[in-house]
Amino acid sequence: MKNDKPAPIIVGADDGKNISMVGDTYRILITGEQTNGEFATIDMLIPPGGGPGPHAHPDIYESFYVIDGEIEVKSEAGGYTAKKGSFITIPKGGVVHSFKNQSDKMAHLLCTVVPSGLEEMFLELGTPVEANVFLPPPHLDLETLKKFKQTAEKYGQQLFPPDYLD
């Protein structure tokens, strides 16, 4: 019997590309290339003090499930401490948001973006690393900031100053 249906995508516990991004380590589980651009899923390890600065992406839904630890989520609508078991969705529309691990323990998140594309930005800007390896955040001199901003814009992202949501 012939089956024309696509096979399930299976990612083993040690599979996926590990990327160091702003001091965090992201494992790309599913890419837009694998889902016809419909979504991407990223496993995120956020060390104490880690997390991205204020940013927005008007055309992407971004959802996080906190597997372990906790993160402080900030947006133009307010703040929330998301603990283990919490689920956060940043809707389309461009709300400025950020998250940070304010605790002294590792935070572990599962992030899904719809449509895909964010993972491509991480692959372009980040540094490949082995699993569970953390590089210090890059020095953000003017040249690095300019590169981040240009690349982010290429992928529909907007970056804001670190104190934007304070």
Side-chain angles (χ1 to χ4, degrees), residues 30-53:
I30 299 293
T31 66
E33 185 177 335
Q34 296 168 290
T35 66
N36 295 319
E38 292 183 28
F39 72 95
T41 302
I42 304 139
D43 186 7
M44 300 177 155
L45 293 174
I46 315 298

Side-chain angles (χ1 to χ4, degrees), residues 2-69:
K2 185 176 179 185
N3 182 354
D4 292 333
K5 297 176 185 166
I9 300 169
I10 299 170
V11 180
D14 297 321
D15 295 338
K17 293 180 182 174
N18 292 288
I19 303 295
S20 176
M21 189 72 193
V22 298
D24 306 335
T25 296
Y26 300 162
R27 180 167 68 116
I28 311 298
L29 298 175
I30 299 293
T31 66
E33 185 177 335
Q34 296 168 290
T35 66
N36 295 319
E38 292 183 28
F39 72 95
T41 302
I42 304 139
D43 186 7
M44 300 177 155
L45 293 174
I46 315 298
H55 62 282
H57 28 74
D59 299 321
I60 295 175
Y61 278 97
E62 182 178 34
S63 296
F64 301 97
Y65 177 75
V66 181
I67 296 169
D68 204 11

Side-chain angles (χ1 to χ4, degrees), residues 18-27 43-51 65-72 81-85 99-110 129-136:
N18 292 288
I19 303 295
S20 176
M21 189 72 193
V22 298
D24 306 335
T25 296
Y26 300 162
R27 180 167 68 116
D43 186 7
M44 300 177 155
L45 293 174
I46 315 298
Y65 177 75
V66 181
I67 296 169
D68 204 11
E70 64 182 52
I71 56 168
E72 179 185 338
T81 299
K83 298 182 180 193
K84 181 178 179 176
F99 63 84
K100 187 169 186 167
N101 181 351
Q102 300 282 25
S103 77
D104 60 355
K105 295 183 172 124
M106 183 71 65
H108 187 184
L109 313 176
L110 188 63
V129 293
E130 295 297 319
N132 298 310
V133 170
F134 295 88
L135 300 179

